Amino acid sequence: MAAKLPVFQPKAISEASKSAAKHAREYYSKLLEQNKQYIQDPPTVERCNELSNQLFYTRLASIPNRYGAFLKELNDLKIYIKSKPRITLDNAGVAALFGVECFAWFSGAEIIGRGFTVFGYHV
C-alpha cells in the first residue's frame, strides 16, 4: 500500500487544485456581482488617482473630529484618575495583564512580519 502512495499523491493534488480553482472563480464572480455598485467603469488610471485623492483628503478632513474624540477620551481618563485616588491591587493587576497582552500581540506580529524569524530580518 505504501508503494502506491506516490502514485495517488499527484492525482490527489491535481484534484484538489482543480476544485480550489473552480470554487475560487465562483467566489470571485459572486463577490463582484454583489459589489458591482462600487466598481468604476471603465477602470482608468485617472479615475483610480481621483479616488485615491478623494480617500486621502477625506481622511485628512476627518482629523479634527478624531482629534476631538481623542481629547475627550483623555479628559475622561483624567477625571477617572482624579476620582479614584487609590488604585486597588485588582485594577493594577488588570492593567499589568493588559500591558503584557499588548506586548505579546506586538511581538507576535513582529515575528510574523519578519518571516517567522525571532532574531532579525532576512537580508
Side-chain angles (χ1 to χ4, degrees), residues 110-123:
E110 276 290 310
I111 291 170
I112 291 169
R114 285 190 297 239
F116 296 97
T117 60
V118 179
F119 302 107
Y121 292 90
H122 295 296
V123 179

Side-chain angles (χ1 to χ4, degrees), residues 35-109:
N35 296 301
K36 65 182 174 186
Q37 72 270 17
Y38 302 115
I39 298 173
Q40 295 295 317
D41 198 30
T44 61
V45 173
E46 293 82 15
R47 185 65 180 146
C48 289
N49 287 336
E50 180 184 346
L51 290 172
S52 174
N53 286 336
Q54 284 178 351
L55 176 63
F56 175 74
Y57 288 108
T58 300
R59 297 293 245 157
L60 197 62
S62 71
I63 288 176
N65 293 337
R66 290 186 284 162
Y67 184 69
F70 169 74
L71 290 178
K72 183 183 179 307
E73 290 286 330
L74 190 61
N75 191 31
D76 290 346
L77 179 64
K78 287 178 186 176
I79 290 170
Y80 174 75
I81 290 173
K82 287 180 183 177
S83 68
K84 285 247 184 193
R86 301 192 62 173
I87 297 175
T88 64
L89 188 60
D90 290 341
N91 289 346
V94 168
L97 284 176
F98 179 73
V100 168
E101 182 182 2
C102 288
F103 179 74
W105 279 107
F106 171 78
S107 298

